[in-house]
Amino acid sequence: MPPRRRSASGYRGVRQRPHNGFYAEIRSGDLRLSLGTYDTAHEAARAFDAAAWRLGRPPRQMNFQDVQTLQQALDLAPPPRLNSAQDRAEHNALQRRLLVAQEDERVMAEWRRRHPEDVAYEQQYWASRREEDTRRRREERLDRLRRKALACAQADLVNAGGRSFFTEEDERWFDCWLSTSDDTNDDDDGADDWSDWD
């Protein structure tokens, strides 16, 4: 019988789990021996090699050629990852949240199909909110620009030997360091700020 080809994990006898972890198993005739689930493909491959040594497989059927004895293979093989009651509870909670999210999506899709006028109103509402926010951010930026220009002009006047109408303790001096970057993009669809229905 020809040797088995290596799986997508890159190791013989190791498969990647859909969510996380790597599953190792060894086959001998009709027998399938589960070796457990591991955090990395490398650990699962080491467990496969230890089992292969125990079953007397030839070295060419191993994942790693750096092991010369069964004891070395056992020393390098990690213990399988334990699935505790807490792991199972967390998995069940995630599964419930996934089911709730899927049902929520289904209900919202049905609502959008039945009430297109509400969807249009919702989109119009969020579009107006984005416009208001853009206008407000632009006004705030113009105010910062004006305040910074005034503070910098007063600083230039003092540096030139003149006298400012700001007092020494006037907080307006700090306006020299105001950020005036434009964080408003005309092409911004507001996706970061507001959700809208497709």
Side-chain angles (χ1 to χ4, degrees), residues 16-141:
Q16 185 169 7
R17 287 284 190 199
H19 298 292
N20 61 2
F22 293 86
Y23 175 74
E25 73 175 18
I26 192 165
R27 296 177 185 187
S28 180
D30 293 336
L31 177 70
R32 290 174 92 179
L33 179 62
S34 171
L35 304 174
T37 303
Y38 298 86
D39 291 326
T40 66
H42 183 85
E43 290 175 345
R46 286 289 184 188
F48 175 89
D49 282 3
W53 269 99
R54 282 183 183 247
L55 293 173
R57 297 273 176 92
R60 73 178 189 289
Q61 292 183 9
M62 310 278 177
N63 287 303
F64 302 102
Q65 305 301 319
D66 61 349
V67 176
Q68 305 302 319
T69 66
L70 170 61
Q71 189 58 46
Q72 285 179 331
L74 293 173
D75 291 343
L76 292 172
R81 187 170 67 178
L82 297 177
N83 290 327
S84 65
Q86 181 181 356
D87 291 335
R88 288 188 294 278
E90 288 174 3
H91 175 73
N92 289 338
L94 287 173
Q95 289 298 101
R96 282 192 301 273
R97 286 174 52 192
L98 178 62
L99 289 173
V100 168
Q102 288 172 340
E103 180 63 14
D104 193 36
E105 286 294 320
R106 187 192 67 74
V107 169
M108 289 306 296
E110 179 66 19
W111 177 82
R112 286 192 293 270
R113 188 184 65 75
R114 288 186 180 181
H115 305 284
E117 68 283 353
D118 289 343
V119 172
Y121 173 77
E122 180 99 10
Q123 289 173 338
Q124 183 181 15
Y125 171 78
W126 289 117
S128 67
R129 284 289 301 264
R130 284 192 297 272
E131 288 173 12
E132 290 172 17
D133 287 347
T134 300
R135 181 187 47 76
R136 180 185 46 78
R137 286 194 307 260
R138 286 191 176 138
E139 288 174 359
E140 289 172 356
R141 180 172 181 259

